[in-house]
Amino acid sequence: MRASTTALFLGLTSLTLVGCDFAATGVKGNFSFQYTPYTWHSFNTPLAVGAKADVTVSFDDGGGLVKDVSCSTSDSSVVSVTVRGGGLLTLEGRKAGIVEITCAGGDLDDAISVEARDVASVEISPPDKDSLGVTDPYVVAQGGRAQYSFTLYDSTSRTLMGYDLDGFTADSGATVAWTHSLDYVEVTYAELGVTEVDHPLAVQPASVQVVDPATVVTLAWTALVPTEMTVGAAIIGVPDARDGNNQSVLGLHGLMVVTSKTPAVCSITEGSWGVFLNAYVISGLAAGTCTLGLELGDVSAEHTLEVVEEAQQ
């Protein structure tokens, strides 16, 4: 599922920012349950013991989020549930087992089963691999941040999911932080040289070479950004930084400045899908020429595209 999603991400130049339908309907058919933010996990993917997952609860008839929802679990020692308001829940796996999550709101109620399983192994992928398709060697910038994707497995090699799982570490002064994105951990780099991100259950650590950001000599937007888009559309943009050997330099989040120089025509927002830290959402606001800027120290670049009105049928 991850490979196909990555291929889709890299192959499209214009899309609606809505993922595939991985929601599940409750036993009564009243509510729809889905992991959030965007994820390739269907709702029947087990929750990892020791991890959390955020869930939206919506009316199954398309009526939107159940904003006054209240929920309970059949066994909080297996999976606990915290209602965060606005139709959002946080589940936490406590021990292996299956529970029923019961929810009520808007004069309706429903229930759905959630399974928690123990983590047996962890596979850590190098930073930004999914969004840029970079291969070894992986070079990152000192002082910058990048996201590492990981996959959790139980003893039968079934995929699990969740965030806030204990045990992830980074050496060479780097720090590890969690967002609410499933299957991603964020690392900030400190020392020049090799940095490894690891976990006690990891198949192997993910190793990168940390370099001075001043080694970057060119900036550009990848071919994912087209030369034309329509008003009201949104596209995904991924900056690409290269050193003097044409080697991709990753982990520039927090160092590189990304702007729309024509804010009346187009806007740009960090963190598309709540997943890819180095990807941006570019939105067409009005007809005209959209100019996107990239800056890193003394290195800069611009990309222009035309925002046009959608042709009338």
Side-chain angles (χ1 to χ4, degrees):
M1 185 66 70
R2 174 166 292 170
S4 62
T5 304
T6 302
L8 175 68
F9 179 87
L10 292 169
L12 295 181
T13 58
S14 181
L15 59 131
T16 300
L17 295 179
V18 177
C20 300
D21 186 8
F22 292 127
T25 301
V27 295
K28 293 185 177 181
N30 291 328
F31 296 158
S32 178
F33 299 82
Q34 185 168 6
Y35 292 123
T36 188
Y38 176 87
T39 176
W40 28 68
H41 289 300
S42 63
F43 198 78
N44 64 1
T45 303
L47 177 62
V49 171
K52 299 174 183 177
D54 297 331
V55 177
T56 56
V57 184
S58 305
F59 293 105
D60 197 58
D61 61 2
L65 294 172
V66 186
K67 294 185 178 181
D68 62 344
V69 71
S70 62
C71 298
S72 61
T73 173
S74 59
D75 191 342
S76 60
S77 70
V78 175
V79 175
S80 66
V81 57
T82 301
V83 177
R84 296 171 55 192
L88 183 65
L89 319 174
T90 297
L91 305 179
E92 182 175 359
R94 300 293 184 89
K95 69 178 182 181
I98 299 175
V99 301
E100 185 174 79
I101 303 296
T102 302
C103 297
D107 298 325
L108 296 172
D109 64 274
D110 215 333
I112 197 162
S113 294
V114 174
E115 182 177 12
R117 293 193 178 195
D118 292 316
V119 178
S121 63
V122 178
E123 184 178 311
I124 307 173
S125 295
D128 300 330
K129 177 173 181 284
D130 283 338
S131 54
L132 275 176
V134 175
T135 56
D136 191 58
Y138 296 94
V139 178
V140 300
Q142 182 184 34
R145 307 197 310 274
Q147 284 180 320
Y148 291 64
S149 64
F150 61 88
T151 307
L152 309 176
Y153 298 98
D154 70 3
S155 59
T156 68
S157 297
R158 183 172 180 181
T159 301
L160 312 177
M161 60 87 209
Y163 67 86
D164 241 3
L165 184 70
D166 286 340
F168 282 89
T169 59
D171 61 9
S172 302
T175 57
V176 177
W178 286 97
T179 67
H180 284 254
S181 297
L182 298 173
D183 304 340
Y184 284 84
V185 65
E186 185 176 303
V187 176
T188 301
Y189 304 104
E191 301 173 10
L192 298 176
V194 175
T195 290
E196 288 188 342
V197 175
D198 205 357
H199 188 278
L201 298 177
V203 177
Q204 63 181 23
S207 178
V208 297
Q209 182 73 29
V210 182
V211 300
D212 189 325
T215 61
V216 172
V217 296
T218 61
L219 296 172
W221 290 95
T222 64
L224 197 65
V225 179
T227 57
E228 184 177 289
M229 67 182 296
T230 57
V231 174
I235 60 175
I236 301 299
V238 179
D240 189 14
R242 303 272 174 154
D243 65 13
N245 297 315
N246 202 34
Q247 167 71 45
S248 289
V249 179
L250 310 173
L252 290 170
H253 199 87
L255 300 176
M256 182 166 53
V257 179
V258 181
T259 58
S260 167
K261 296 191 174 184
T262 51
V265 177
C266 59
S267 65
I268 189 162
T269 306
E270 293 184 355
S272 70
W273 292 347
V275 175
F276 297 113
L277 188 65
N278 69 332
Y280 297 80
V281 180
I282 302 161
S283 301
L285 304 179
T289 299
C290 168
T291 302
L292 304 173
L294 297 173
E295 294 182 19
L296 179 66
D298 295 330
V299 182
S300 62
E302 289 187 355
H303 177 84
T304 59
L305 64 154
E306 293 302 313
V307 181
V308 299
E309 296 287 353
E310 187 172 3
Q312 298 297 317
Q313 299 292 330

